[in-house]
Amino acid sequence: MSKPIRLMRGFATVGVWTLLSRIAGFVRDVLIAGFLGSGPVAEAFLIAFSLPNMFRRFFAEGAFNMAFVPMFSKKVESGEAPLEFARDAFTGLATLLILFTVVAQVFMPALVLLMASGFAEDERLPLATLFGRIAFPYILFISLAALLSGVLNATGRFVAAAAAPVLLNILFISSVTAAYLLGWDIGLTLAWTVPVAGVAQLALVWVAAARAGYRLVPKRPRMTPELKRLAIIAAPAALAGGVVQINLLVGRNVASWTEGAIAWVNYADRLYQLPLGVVAIAIGVVLLPELSRRLQSGDTAGGQDAYSRAGEVALALTLPCAVALMVVPLPMISVLFERGQFTSDDAAATALAVAVYGLGLPAFVLQKIFQPLYFAREDTKSPFKFALVSMIVNAVIAVGLWPYLDYLAAALATTLAGWTMAWQLWRGSRQFGQAGTFDARFRSRMPRIIIASVLLGVVLYALQVMLLPLLGTPGWRYAALAVLLILGGFAYYLIGKAIGAFSAADLKASLRR
């Protein structure tokens, strides 16, 4: 039996490394926006890069790992040959992905049009097809890295898996800088960086897993009873992942019909993904193996405590972020991206999308909290059914409102579909009894967190009005944005502490556990 996972320390580890990755990702996107703006090369690369990432979520962090991690965690807990199971899963996934990558190379033009039908009869289609063929092998490397990350996370080792994404952005920053200095084609350089980064990420987590006693080397594929069970559990999750990707496809297709909108939506997505990744995804990564282990040992009270503390911390950190995205999106986008080829019109269009995504941020966070309740019990069918309903909501809103809202219809559809999914997950979680309900402390503090977040919005709006002249001044806008956000965060902390939304003592106690 391995050592127990320290939930809050695990969350802090994943969160800090994810924060570093997202900061590096901002630098990457600032460079791409500055050099390429929202032009055809930028949009072609963004679609090409989104292809392996779309299927990566389908195969790796999505369907496969949601089924693999609970099964592997239980084998670790019971000592039932976890290494052999992990090797078989590694081999099976590698075999499937190699075949899939070959097929994707042949049908790349069709995949590009599936993602962005607005590229038809356009210079962006051949560019995106070329970039896509170069970048697509990334799915093989990053999916295997995700499986190895699942092995590390299930055994309470979070550093290497959390640090791996930083490599991707460091390599992007280095390559685009080198391309500018040496006169290389920036689009091609970015495309070739994608598979190179995948190899680097895979190497990092493979070495970490080997040092932890899980040296996974591919062997001849075989279908064992455990892999059959894994496939049976993963199938509904794969279908649910497919539904989520259909939502993304609908949104990108709607955006592709407006020139520049793919870039606007992408940069807006990067901004709201910062709190989502740092907080919600980090907690979800740690919560799934923890709940799986609690369930295996029959510790219902411990499971409820882990679930409640994860929800409390996630919402206390992300609700104020959601308010900030809705109240002051333009200063953030202008300061972060408006330079070079990225104009003030691009910033204004992106800021509108950021505000709409901000409205949905709490829903995306809640999904990451609710889903482990199902996956820890190897229930992947219920989330699939819920995802089908959210897919219908997304498609109806995105397509139905496109004539009226243009590209913003895609962002609004994503937000409302997110709330639909979160509500269904919450309603279904009541079947799990005590382990699926938040405890008294959570129920007491949640209204206070909401009040503190609303008051933060008032403070941010007032600060924005006061700092408006400096936010528009090139020499002062960085400092003005920093003052705006720092003072807003300090105000939120003081308000929250005064009304009892959270306390430093509770955080310290959680970290010690």
Side-chain angles (χ1 to χ4, degrees):
M1 183 180 296
S2 61
K3 63 181 180 181
I5 294 173
R6 293 188 174 186
L7 183 69
M8 292 301 162
R9 287 193 178 183
F11 155 62
T13 298
V14 178
V16 167
W17 279 104
T18 305
L19 176 62
L20 293 175
S21 174
R22 296 307 165 100
I23 291 173
F26 269 120
V27 176
R28 176 195 79 188
D29 287 341
V30 165
L31 289 173
I32 294 175
F35 289 128
L36 302 179
S38 59
V41 176
E43 293 198 300
F45 169 72
L46 292 173
I47 286 296
F49 186 38
S50 69
L51 279 168
N53 277 300
M54 179 181 72
F55 290 108
R56 155 196 176 181
R57 295 185 180 99
F58 183 82
F59 285 107
E61 289 98 330
F64 196 86
N65 258 20
M66 290 304 102
F68 171 77
V69 170
M71 289 184 66
F72 179 75
S73 296
K74 290 175 183 177
K75 287 183 176 295
V76 170
E77 190 73 14
S78 61
E80 297 177 2
L83 176 58
E84 185 177 354
F85 173 67
R87 279 178 179 164
D88 287 337
F90 187 84
T91 300
L93 183 61
T95 303
L96 177 63
L97 287 170
I98 290 171
L99 294 174
F100 183 70
T101 300
V102 172
V103 172
Q105 295 293 326
V106 176
F107 295 101
M108 188 57 64
L111 287 176
V112 169
L113 288 176
L114 186 66
M115 290 284 289
S117 57
F119 284 15
E121 306 300 326
D122 189 310
E123 64 175 312
R124 295 173 294 179
L125 178 58
L127 267 177
T129 300
L130 173 62
F131 294 165
R133 284 185 168 136
I134 296 170
F136 201 83
Y138 178 71
I139 189 177
L140 170 63
F141 308 122
I142 197 59
S143 296
L144 294 177
L147 184 146
L148 287 162
S149 297
V151 169
L152 291 168
N153 293 339
T155 55
R157 298 171 175 88
F158 299 103
V159 174
V166 179
L167 279 177
L168 171 72
N169 291 317
I170 289 176
L171 287 171
F172 267 126
I173 292 167
S174 301
S175 66
V176 75
T177 303
Y180 171 71
L181 294 175
L182 300 175
W184 299 344
D185 183 290
I186 292 178
L188 277 173
T189 302
L190 287 168
W192 279 110
T193 303
V194 177
V196 172
V199 172
Q201 289 175 282
L202 176 59
L204 176 63
V205 292
W206 189 91
V207 170
R211 288 177 176 174
Y214 295 93
R215 189 173 182 270
L216 304 188
V217 178
K219 55 184 181 180
R220 183 177 178 180
R222 59 174 186 158
M223 182 56 73
T224 65
E226 288 85 356
L227 284 188
K228 288 180 182 178
R229 176 167 173 74
L230 177 63
I232 291 171
I233 296 172
L239 293 173
V243 169
V244 172
Q245 301 315 316
I246 289 173
N247 288 343
L248 294 175
L249 284 174
V250 171
R252 286 195 177 96
N253 265 294
V254 168
S256 72
W257 289 96
T258 301
E259 186 177 349
I262 291 234
W264 300 335
V265 171
N266 177 78
Y267 297 136
D269 178 84
R270 292 295 302 175
L271 195 56
Y272 93 83
Q273 285 285 343
L274 177 61
L276 182 63
V278 172
V279 181
I281 295 176
I283 283 186
V285 164
V286 181
L287 187 58
L288 177 56
E290 173 70 356
L291 287 180
S292 299
R293 294 160 70 96
R294 297 284 188 182
L295 185 64
Q296 173 73 11
S297 62
D299 184 5
T300 301
Q304 183 190 35
D305 181 68
Y307 170 60
S308 299
R309 298 294 74 74
E312 185 180 317
V313 171
L315 290 173
L317 294 176
T318 52
L319 277 179
C321 294
V323 169
L325 293 177
M326 289 185 281
V327 175
V328 290
L330 186 56
M332 289 190 282
I333 290 296
S334 296
V335 173
L336 290 170
F337 294 110
E338 191 180 325
R339 63 184 53 80
Q341 299 299 311
F342 196 84
T343 67
S344 59
D345 289 339
D346 291 325
T350 304
L352 288 174
V354 168
V356 176
Y357 281 134
L359 185 62
L361 179 60
F364 307 137
V365 170
L366 288 170
Q367 288 181 42
K368 298 297 181 182
I369 302 301
F370 294 144
Q371 284 174 340
L373 290 172
Y374 295 85
F375 296 136
R377 292 165 172 79
E378 299 179 3
D379 176 8
T380 52
K381 293 181 181 179
S382 296
F384 167 60
K385 295 175 183 176
F386 301 154
L388 283 176
V389 175
S390 71
M391 178 190 72
I392 296 171
V393 171
N394 181 81
V396 169
I397 294 172
V399 176
L401 293 184
W402 177 68
Y404 309 100
L405 298 179
D406 203 279
Y407 72 99
L408 287 178
L412 182 60
T414 299
T415 289
L416 295 181
W419 277 110
T420 301
M421 184 70 176
W423 177 76
Q424 292 178 100
L425 288 166
W426 169 78
R427 186 184 62 176
S429 68
R430 290 182 293 179
Q431 67 180 297
F432 301 132
Q434 179 185 350
T437 58
F438 291 117
D439 61 17
R441 174 175 141 180
F442 177 94
R443 294 193 299 271
S444 170
R445 292 192 174 178
M446 196 63 248
R448 302 176 192 184
I449 292 172
I450 293 173
I451 291 170
S453 299
V454 171
L455 293 176
L456 167 66
V458 176
V459 172
L460 285 175
Y461 183 80
L463 288 171
Q464 178 183 221
V465 172
M466 293 170 57
L467 294 170
L468 196 58
L470 294 177
L471 287 167
T473 305
W476 289 95
R477 59 180 187 162
Y478 299 101
L481 179 63
V483 169
L484 174 65
L485 297 178
I486 291 171
L487 288 180
F490 188 60
Y492 172 70
Y493 172 75
L494 291 179
I495 294 168
K497 189 175 180 181
I499 64 176
F502 42 75
S503 72
D506 289 334
L507 178 59
K508 290 178 181 178
S510 296
L511 289 173
R512 282 196 299 266
R513 284 204 300 268

